[in-house]
Amino acid sequence: MSNEAEHQLAPSAPDAPRPKRHPVLIIVMGVAGTGKTTLARELERRLDMPYVEGDELHPKANIDKMSAGIPLTDADREPWLQLIRTTAEHMAAEQQADPSFARRPGALVTCSALRRYYRDILRGTYKPASASTADGEDGREKSPRLPGHLDPPEPYRFPTYFVYIKGEKEVIMDRISKRQGHYMKPGMLDSQLATLETPEGEEGVVVVPLDTTTEEQADIAMRELSKLLPEPL
């Protein structure tokens, strides 16, 4: 048998294992009514990243307040923001430990992230005092801890990026007034806008306009994120 024939009959070499990609946290942010979930779902489809709806991590007390039209305070938001970060860290650690995990590692999350220090909590660079409260001292349970072999990544190893949906108050108010069954009331928009500290100019922030299609928003986000992420999209 010729060398050429032997080469044709020889089993092909198995593909080399793909190197693990760097886990990242991408947060779609903005005040209520800007379409965070809609954009996040489109980015989830394009990026193939696990998605978390940040509002679903609110404790019942927060949802009850918002349903009654009562704005949340910093004390209300801090544990929620810390839980979002912790949830994303746990997801990343579990993904890294799972050899069968084939999606883009990290998490894609929706969160209003209105103030600079809220975003620092989400970045993992600031830990509020409420996060260190001992179990039972204030009636809240401490965040669950991972086993030692699944230590959450440090902030510099789990970088955070924000996609900020920016829009005019009148447009946002019109969108909120047309929503059905959401606990966020139109009258609370003024409170959110008053609390908002624009993230424009901060490191790791992409801005997309509200007054365009979801597809165009996603195009902008993908293009600008590609310039910031440690690995190309």
Side-chain angles (χ1 to χ4, degrees):
M1 183 179 294
S2 68
N3 289 340
E4 181 178 354
E6 288 178 357
H7 177 72
Q8 291 174 344
L9 294 175
S12 58
D15 292 337
R18 295 177 60 186
K20 287 190 175 182
R21 289 181 288 188
H22 200 102
V24 296
L25 173 57
I26 299 174
I27 297 173
V28 179
M29 65 159 288
V31 299
T34 50
K36 295 187 291 294
T37 298
T38 302
L39 176 56
R41 287 295 189 186
E42 177 62 18
L43 291 175
E44 177 192 20
R45 184 185 69 80
R46 297 191 188 196
L47 292 168
D48 190 27
M49 284 183 74
Y51 168 69
V52 176
E53 176 67 50
D55 281 351
E56 294 182 358
L57 296 179
H58 268 300
K60 184 177 182 300
N62 283 8
I63 294 174
D64 288 345
K65 287 185 73 170
M66 289 185 286
S67 298
I70 302 171
L72 299 180
T73 65
D74 288 350
D76 295 324
R77 289 191 177 103
E78 286 178 359
W80 168 60
L81 296 164
Q82 185 64 44
L83 179 59
I84 290 175
R85 176 73 192 188
T86 301
T87 298
E89 287 177 342
H90 286 199
M91 289 171 63
E94 290 167 354
Q95 294 159 8
Q96 294 294 91
D98 181 0
S100 67
F101 184 80
R103 303 180 71 186
R104 185 179 298 274
L108 180 65
V109 181
T110 50
C111 176
S112 52
L114 300 175
R115 297 184 61 186
R116 171 65 185 259
Y117 100 89
Y118 296 174
R119 295 187 288 275
D120 286 343
I121 294 173
L122 294 167
R123 290 180 175 108
T125 58
Y126 176 79
K127 195 172 289 292
S130 58
S132 61
T133 302
D135 209 3
E137 287 183 7
D138 63 354
R140 289 195 298 263
E141 294 183 358
K142 293 176 70 175
S143 298
R145 293 189 178 277
L146 283 171
H149 68 291
L150 292 179
D151 288 336
E154 296 295 330
Y156 71 92
R157 292 172 49 208
F158 189 34
T160 304
Y161 303 89
F162 292 87
V163 178
Y164 170 44
I165 306 176
K166 181 180 180 180
E168 297 298 323
K169 176 182 176 180
E170 293 73 19
V171 178
I172 301 170
M173 182 65 76
D174 181 64
R175 291 167 61 104
I176 292 179
S177 65
K178 293 176 180 176
R179 293 201 301 188
Q180 300 293 324
H182 196 276
Y183 53 74
M184 179 63 72
K185 306 303 180 187
M188 296 179 64
L189 178 59
D190 285 336
S191 172
Q192 287 211 343
L193 289 172
T195 302
L196 176 65
E197 297 171 358
T198 179
E200 294 170 281
E202 293 178 16
E203 185 177 355
V205 174
V206 170
V207 181
V208 301
L210 173 62
D211 57 349
T212 189
T213 66
T214 300
E215 289 72 23
E216 290 171 334
Q217 289 177 334
D219 288 344
I220 295 169
M222 294 287 289
R223 183 176 65 247
E224 297 303 315
L225 284 170
S226 292
K227 301 174 184 178
L228 299 175
L229 267 59
E231 295 160 333
L233 296 177

